[in-house]
Amino acid sequence: MGAFGGHDGLVYDQGPSTFTDLLSATTVWTDRTFLVHGERRISFRAFRNAVEAARPTLTSLGVGAGDRVMVFGYNSPEWIVALWATWRCGAVPVLANRWWSSVEIDHAVDLLAPRHVLADTTMAVNAPYSPLADLRAAFDAPVGETVPAPDTDGDDPALVLFTSGSSGMPKAVELSRRSVIGNQHNILARNRRFPHLLDAESPQAVSLATTPMFHVGGLSSLLTHFLTGGKIVMTEGRFDAGQILRLIEREGIQIWGAVPTMASRLLAHPDFESHDLSSLKSWPLGGAPVTTDLLDRIRTKLPNLRQRGLSNTWGMTEAGGFLTAGDARDLAAYPGTVGRPYPVVELRIADPNSEGVGEVLARSPTVMNGYVGVRAGMPDDDTVDAEGWLHTGDLGHLNEDGYLFIDGRSKDVVIRGGENIACPHVEAAIATHPAVVEVAALGIQHPDLGEELVAVVVHRIDADPPTVDELQRHAAGTLSYFAVPTRWEIRTAPLPTLAGEKVDKKTLAREFGAKTTP
């Protein structure tokens, strides 16, 4: 036991405590390839040099210790350099969701007031802006002198990520340096891959990165492979199962962390059987519930993963990363589990019912500082209580052996293909249409995406009913593309309600499922 954030909890008593320490731990690898992006192959030495070359570029833009720098882009070497160069300035990277609408981008800029914005697309925002591509020159810059980074405290802000939460615009989650480093402690301790135990001759793990690095899972994987001398292969463009098959075979991919939707699409691809995927040794799944049917299909089509390769994880942005993990043996022994807690994660079930199901609470050094812009007394102010327990909003139970099972969500959120969608945010966007009287957004099961977002719209009787195309165009003006409903019911009958006039979404889901075929 130890203390962090002003309360007791489990902690590591040794290990790196700064990002400078983390960066220096990688100097054991020099000419080993770190990043592969299309035809580009970048060594560890070239990457570290690029980070140091990009640092004065940021300082010339006015970026200093404690400033926020928004990075808006898809996975790329320049995105990763921007992340590390910002840290090397003592500043705080703000990792924006590349799929946002212009309304969501403006909201984040107004909320965070970044000193500068780096983006891989042209932007008109209320902040100084530069193209992310400008950092590509850092890879060709001469090697300069390494300058010490500003001193920082473990509780100082290190990173801002975003989550849809349960209502309103995307919420900004502030993680401390303790959180980011603690998440790596957890992962590396569980895998027995601490950098100080490795050397230049240690085998190199080859990982495929398809999850956006502006998500906590993608970021965690990036840092883990950087710290352990791994090679990261990045895809080009949007997710394409055919490209994934080609990359696994060409690059000898050993590890691919994916959301269940990606796994389903890979297994169903018509060229699946024509590619050699025998190099794949580990396939951790997370970001959405993993069904036993999907696990069975993976075991059948990829027998090399049956014994050890499959795993399931559970975590969230507010937790700073992963909270539990289960390996192949766990998944076979306890079907449906998301595993047991990482080394310094504590779990408990709040107010369990007769079956032991209640809200899952978690405490760990990785848990967020809080939401940026949330004031005392606001609804989200109690997400982390005074004793450091994160109220996850997930319902679950623990078995007698300490394995966690997730039984549902207490918050009004749909997880579509690994993306969290706040239903109240969707409803608020659709409700601004002049013909809409009321609207309910909800999720129904989908064989590929896990959940599909649907909308039930009640329109004005004295107006022509809006068309689906009209409503989709209207919603797209405010929402990210993945948050625009793909199935609709347009009607005049009022929405069913429960006591207190809360919309009865369970009844709507049953009605919607009965009227349409998934």
Side-chain angles (χ1 to χ4, degrees), residues 241-242 245 265-275 301:
L245 290 169
R265 292 180 179 178
L266 189 83
L267 296 174
H269 195 276
D271 294 337
F272 181 87
E273 301 294 343
S274 64
H275 289 275
K301 302 195 78 169

Side-chain angles (χ1 to χ4, degrees), residues 4-8 363 381-389 391:
F4 55 88
H7 52 75
D8 293 335
R363 186 166 65 181
D381 183 51
D382 60 356
T383 303
V384 181
D385 64 28
E387 295 181 349
W389 290 98
H391 294 242

Side-chain angles (χ1 to χ4, degrees), residues 420-500:
N420 284 15
I421 303 169
C423 290
H425 184 39
V426 176
E427 292 160 354
I430 297 171
T432 60
H433 190 286
V436 173
V437 176
E438 57 180 341
V439 57
L442 59 145
I444 60 173
Q445 288 187 344
H446 189 276
D448 179 32
L449 299 171
E451 287 186 298
E452 183 175 19
L453 183 66
V454 304
V456 181
V457 173
V458 178
H459 71 88
R460 289 170 46 196
I461 298 176
D462 60 345
D464 292 334
T467 66
V468 168
D469 285 346
E470 181 184 347
L471 289 171
Q472 286 181 322
R473 287 195 302 271
H474 181 78
T478 303
L479 303 173
S480 305
Y481 83 90
F482 60 81
V484 176
T486 50
R487 304 270 289 277
W488 298 75
E489 180 187 343
I490 302 170
R491 68 194 214 181
T492 57
L495 299 177
T497 58
L498 301 166

